[in-house]
């Protein structure tokens, strides 16, 4: 097994397009200085079942802010002498329920209650039974924001709360679409190039000119496909129960595999550059009785540096997503090129089983788990309170303005599995074209099918406004596209059985040797 295959088993191929990073309980506190009209927005959290906020502050009602962060407001004795009538009151969290604080504030005719927290923003989840008479809006705000408000906005502060609806379409979805289609198409094409190299007669007894052996690629059989899916299920369950330990194992393996994948991708490009090959005297670095080009040594150092940089700054959401996407694209490309399917039958088994795997862990497991959350979403988003996320997605920050940008940096996400799994079918189509046709019909058709499946996924995502298991749409579209081409060309039997790669790899060299021997016998007098 290659490092890429081991990593894929550990990842469990998390196949969600969007992780649940946008919370319905996040909103905006809009603060305005009554004298200078300077304004600033701050993040708040609220319970949408308790409080309904407008989508804009344009026609919202403003209330004068009364800062009571020196009090808990848990009893009538803590109510200050100042009047709270028609004001927005801010108090400190703790000592009693947020609803008890709201009862006291409302009894003094306050119009809004803000509860300041020094430890992040909690979510109002208290049981409201017995507090049905409460009508004032309630929200959590950061204590640091209250201090900042007095410095940046002014002393005579008026506030209102609102929660703008997130846009149905965000341009980050278009970027995700382009990245996924590009990676699948390029990975399939690279797989075809590798197939052409394997079909050429070897010049150096088992090695090509670039020094790469023919057995670099790994071929799946029907049995290993089933075993692969079983490993995915087991690893996903292990991540669900032991996330806080295994997440660091995944991070380490991702660093190693992505650095290796990036090196393989870039070294394939460097081979076409006629400069810097340096193979004599100063141009060779000897190691373990083997020689290596200096440029490849520097390339390896560069790839390791990129991977280590990502590992060190992996929680810097503002910019580290760029490195994660680069490493992720390289990983997917190398995986698609390295792992090849022997026939269409194996492709159907793999895609079909992973589709069932995806649907089960997304839609069925909520009826099994105690908290009613799907295992797939729980693992993809990470347990609450965990700052570490699995590096198994392409991430693009959402480009449209929304309330959550003040709280967290929201991303559109695409799981590596949504690229790799259909990409293996696209790669098989390309290899089939190389071996049995003189065109790229299967490859182009399957790539178009993948693009159509991605568009369908995005449309359903926008309509339902919730994360979707992308394989639910990608698998039927890619399988149908390639099947229709095979049926139309009357090549379904050949396409289904494929090139029997596991047999060809063993017999190609034997055939070549037999041809050489026959040629030598004919030359003898």
């Amino acid at each position: 097994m290659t490092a890429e295959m081991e990593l894929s088993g550990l990842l469990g191929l998390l196949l969600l397009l969007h992780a649940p990073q946008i919370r319905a309980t996040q909103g905006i506190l809009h603060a305005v200085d009554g004298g200078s009209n300077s304004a600033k927005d701050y993040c708040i959290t609220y319970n949408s079942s308790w409080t309904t906020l407008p989508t804009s502050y344009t026609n919202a009602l403003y209330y004068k802010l009364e800062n009571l962060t020196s009090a808990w407001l848990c009893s009538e004795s803590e109510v200050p002498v100042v009047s709270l009538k028609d004001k927005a009151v801010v108090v400190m969290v703790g000592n009693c329920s947020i609803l008890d604080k709201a009862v006291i504030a409302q009894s003094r005719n306050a119009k809004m209650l803000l509860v300041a927290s020094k430890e992040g923003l909690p979510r109002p989840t208290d049981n409201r039974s017995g507090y049905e008479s409460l009508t004032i809006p309630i929200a959590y705000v950061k204590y640091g924001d209250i201090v900042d408000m007095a410095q940046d906005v002014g002393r005579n502060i008026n506030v209102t709360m609102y929660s703008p609806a997130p846009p149905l379409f965000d341009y980050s979805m278009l970027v995700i679409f382009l990245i996924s289609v590009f990676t699948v198409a390029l990975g399939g094409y690279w797989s075809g190039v590798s197939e052409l190299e394997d079909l050429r007669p070897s010049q150096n007894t088992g090695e090509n000119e670039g020094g790469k052996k023919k057995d670099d690629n790994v071929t799946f059989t029907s049995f290993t496909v089933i075993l692969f899916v079983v490993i995915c299920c087991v690893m996903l369950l292990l991540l669900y129960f032991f996330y806080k330990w295994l997440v660091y194992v995944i991070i380490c393996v991702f660093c190693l595999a992505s650095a290796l994948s990036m090196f393989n991708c870039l070294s394939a490009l460097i081979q076409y550059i006629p400069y810097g090959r340096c193979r004599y005297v100063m141009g060779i670095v000897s190691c373990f009785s083997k020689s290596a080009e200096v440029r490849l040594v520097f390339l390896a150092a560069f790839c390791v540096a990129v991977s280590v940089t990502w590992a060190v700054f992996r929680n810097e959401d503002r910019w580290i997503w760029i490195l994660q996407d680069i490493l992720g694209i390289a990983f997917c490309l190398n995986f698609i090129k390295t792992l090849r399917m022997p026939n269409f039958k194996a492709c159907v088994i793999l895609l079909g089983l992973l589709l069932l795997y995806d649907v089960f862990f997304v839609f069925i497991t909520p009826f099994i788990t105690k908290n009613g959350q799907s295992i797939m979403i729980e693992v993809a988003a990470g347990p609450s309170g965990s700052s570490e996320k699995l590096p198994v997605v392409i991430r693009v920050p959402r480009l449209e303005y929304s309330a959550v940008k003040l709280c967290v940096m929201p991303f559109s996400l695409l799981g590596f599995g949504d690229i790799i799994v259909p990409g293996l079918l696209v790669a098989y189509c390309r290899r089939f074209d190389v071996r049995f046709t003189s065109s790229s019909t299967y490859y182009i058709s399957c790539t178009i099918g993948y693009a159509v499946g991605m568009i369908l996924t995005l449309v359903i995502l926008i309509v339902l406004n919730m994360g979707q298991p992308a394989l639910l749409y990608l698998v039927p579209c890619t399988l149908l596209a390639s099947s229709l081409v095979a049926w139309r060309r009357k090549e379904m039997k050949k396409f289904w059985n494929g090139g029997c790669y596991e047999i060809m790899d063993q017999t190609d060299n034997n055939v070549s040797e037999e041809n050489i021997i026959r040629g030598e016998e004919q030359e003898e007098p």
Side-chain angles (χ1 to χ4, degrees):
M1 287 285 186
T2 63
E4 293 82 0
M5 292 174 63
E6 293 174 1
L7 178 60
S8 64
L10 290 171
L11 299 182
L13 296 176
L14 304 182
L15 307 173
L16 289 177
L17 179 63
H18 286 257
Q21 300 209 17
I22 298 177
R23 308 292 186 184
T25 54
Q26 290 173 334
I28 295 177
L29 178 67
H30 186 67
V32 180
D33 187 299
S36 63
N37 290 326
S38 61
K40 192 172 182 180
D41 290 336
Y42 300 92
C43 176
I44 59 173
T45 56
Y46 69 100
N47 192 318
S48 56
S49 64
W50 300 355
T51 304
T52 302
L53 298 183
T55 58
S56 173
Y57 65 83
T58 305
N59 298 319
L61 295 176
Y62 286 82
Y63 303 103
K64 181 178 176 60
L65 182 68
E66 186 68 38
N67 190 340
L68 299 180
T69 52
S70 59
W72 304 106
L73 205 65
C74 289
S75 64
E76 290 289 342
S77 61
E78 295 184 39
V79 179
V81 179
V82 297
S83 173
L84 303 183
K85 183 178 181 180
D86 297 333
K87 291 183 179 180
V89 182
V90 55
V91 298
M92 290 302 298
V93 68
N95 277 16
C96 62
S97 166
I98 185 177
L99 297 176
D100 292 331
K101 301 175 188 289
V103 169
I104 297 175
Q106 183 170 291
S107 67
R108 294 304 181 97
N109 297 318
K111 296 298 183 181
M112 181 187 301
L113 176 65
L114 299 172
V115 181
S117 172
K118 293 183 178 181
E119 300 178 357
L121 289 174
R123 298 180 62 188
T125 56
D126 295 356
N127 187 354
R128 202 178 177 184
S129 60
Y131 297 88
E132 288 79 5
S133 61
L134 280 177
T135 58
I136 64 172
I138 308 168
Y140 283 107
V141 65
K142 293 179 181 179
Y143 176 76
D145 288 344
I146 298 298
V147 176
D148 174 81
M149 197 179 301
Q151 298 174 352
D152 293 354
V153 179
R155 297 292 180 181
N156 185 24
I157 301 175
N158 296 308
V159 297
T160 188
M161 295 191 299
Y162 71 103
S163 181
L168 292 178
F169 175 79
D170 189 272
Y171 284 103
S172 61
M173 298 182 188
L174 178 60
V175 178
I176 286 285
F177 171 80
L178 294 176
I179 289 176
S180 61
V181 175
F182 166 79
T183 306
V184 166
L186 184 58
Y189 178 81
W190 190 16
S191 182
V193 172
S194 175
E195 188 75 3
L196 282 173
E197 292 177 353
D198 287 351
L199 291 175
R200 294 194 187 102
S202 299
Q203 300 294 329
N204 300 318
T205 64
E207 295 187 5
N208 295 330
E209 290 182 3
K212 297 184 71 175
K213 297 182 179 180
K214 282 190 174 184
D215 60 356
D216 281 348
N217 294 330
V218 178
T219 303
F220 262 11
T221 63
S222 298
F223 172 75
T224 52
V225 165
I226 298 174
L227 180 62
F228 176 77
V229 177
V230 172
I231 292 175
C232 290
C233 296
V234 171
M235 290 311 304
L236 184 61
L237 291 175
L238 289 176
L239 282 168
Y240 180 72
F241 290 106
F242 307 104
Y243 183 92
K244 64 179 180 180
W245 296 290
L246 288 181
V247 64
Y248 295 104
V249 176
I250 302 299
I251 290 173
C252 292
V253 177
F254 173 75
C255 289
L256 293 173
S258 60
L260 175 63
S261 299
M262 190 176 185
F263 175 81
N264 289 340
C265 293
L266 295 180
S267 61
L269 295 177
I270 286 180
Q271 298 301 326
Y272 294 98
I273 300 176
Y275 304 104
R277 294 186 173 178
C278 302
R279 284 191 170 273
Y280 299 97
V281 192
M282 299 299 294
I284 291 294
V285 176
S286 298
C287 182
F288 302 108
S289 301
K290 294 184 179 180
S291 61
E293 294 181 12
V294 170
R295 62 180 183 178
L296 294 182
V297 174
F298 281 105
L299 177 62
F302 170 77
C303 294
V304 171
V306 172
S307 181
V308 171
T309 301
W310 174 86
V312 173
F313 299 99
R314 62 185 179 277
N315 293 320
E316 297 289 338
D317 284 341
R318 297 295 172 182
W319 60 272
I320 201 62
W321 61 271
I322 299 175
L323 287 187
Q324 180 167 324
D325 287 356
I326 293 173
L327 293 172
I329 291 172
F331 169 76
C332 292
L333 285 173
N334 193 52
F335 198 108
I336 294 172
K337 179 261 179 184
T338 302
L339 181 62
R340 59 186 184 184
M341 309 304 294
N343 47 49
F344 187 57
K345 174 185 176 181
C347 293
V348 172
I349 294 175
L350 177 65
L351 272 65
L353 288 179
L354 286 177
L355 175 59
L356 294 176
Y357 156 90
D358 200 25
V359 172
F360 174 79
F361 283 106
V362 172
F363 295 120
I364 306 300
T365 53
F367 299 100
I368 303 174
T369 56
K370 293 181 179 179
N371 59 1
Q373 184 75 282
S374 81
I375 290 179
M376 186 74 79
I377 292 179
E378 191 80 9
V379 174
S384 58
S386 175
S387 60
E388 296 292 353
K389 305 298 180 185
L390 291 175
V392 295
V393 292
I394 300 295
R395 303 195 301 168
V396 177
R398 296 180 70 87
L399 304 177
E400 296 291 336
Y401 179 77
S402 64
V404 293
K405 282 195 172 182
L406 290 173
C407 307
V408 295
M409 189 171 184
F411 288 88
S412 292
L413 309 176
L414 182 68
F416 289 170
D418 299 329
I419 297 175
I420 292 173
V421 175
L424 293 176
L425 175 57
V426 173
Y428 170 72
C429 290
R430 180 57 184 159
R431 290 179 182 272
F432 186 85
D433 281 329
V434 169
R435 282 190 176 266
F436 299 105
T437 72
S438 57
S439 63
S440 301
T441 306
Y442 285 93
Y443 166 68
I444 294 175
S445 300
C446 196
T447 303
I448 293 175
Y450 178 83
V452 171
M454 278 298 301
I455 293 174
L456 183 60
T457 304
L458 296 177
V459 171
I460 300 297
L461 174 70
I462 293 172
V463 172
L464 299 182
N465 194 27
M466 61 179 294
Q468 296 296 306
L471 284 192
L472 186 61
Y473 313 99
L474 296 174
V475 168
C477 287
T478 51
L479 288 178
L480 185 62
S482 52
S483 299
L484 286 176
V485 173
W487 174 77
R488 185 64 182 269
R489 295 169 65 95
K490 299 180 180 180
E491 296 175 339
M492 179 55 77
K493 184 176 180 180
K494 183 189 296 185
F495 188 62
W496 178 262
N497 294 322
C500 300
Y501 292 116
E502 64 274 10
I503 299 176
M504 284 188 173
D505 288 340
Q506 299 174 4
T507 60
D508 279 349
N509 290 334
N510 294 336
V511 173
S512 299
E513 291 176 1
E514 290 178 1
N515 291 335
I516 294 173
I517 293 173
R518 290 176 182 174
E520 291 176 351
E521 291 176 350
Q522 292 176 0
E523 291 178 359
E524 291 180 358

